[in-house]
Amino acid sequence: MEDGEALWQLAPQRLTKTRFSLDCPGGDWVVDVFEADNAPLVLAEVELPAADVPIRVPEWCGREITGDDRWSNAALAHCPLSRWPREWKKSFDLL
């Protein structure tokens, strides 16, 4: 714990979120609820046992963002949602 706290103090960019594990069919689902400069962002992701396993997307899931690097934790720490250009926000109906 002490090492983790020391590393956290060295991080130039940070993000905070709460992660929830879900019991959904078709894979291991997690939902991240972001705080601070990335609020009110909520992202869901699924870990599949293999790349060729079909995904069962729950009805509550929204837009697919796989492959868009702007949504990675590193990108959101460096450029949080609150600082996104207006056109990025508009393209995701975030305005």
Side-chain angles (χ1 to χ4, degrees), residues 33-89:
V33 179
F34 290 82
E35 301 167 20
D37 288 339
N38 284 301
L41 181 61
V42 177
L43 295 179
E45 63 181 277
V46 62
E47 294 291 331
L48 301 172
D52 60 347
V53 173
I55 299 173
R56 288 195 218 156
V57 179
E59 290 181 18
W60 48 262
C61 277
R63 186 172 180 171
E64 173 68 42
I65 59 167
T66 300
D68 187 336
D69 293 336
R70 294 176 289 185
W71 300 100
S72 73
N73 284 329
L76 290 169
H78 182 68
C79 182
L81 191 64
S82 64
R83 294 197 338 238
W84 276 24
R86 184 172 178 77
E87 60 272 8
W88 287 10
K89 290 179 182 179

Side-chain angles (χ1 to χ4, degrees), residues 2-19:
E2 196 173 299
D3 289 343
E5 289 294 330
L7 288 171
W8 180 253
Q9 297 305 318
L10 296 174
Q13 293 94 19
R14 302 177 185 182
L15 63 80
T16 53
K17 65 183 181 179
T18 302
R19 175 165 278 189

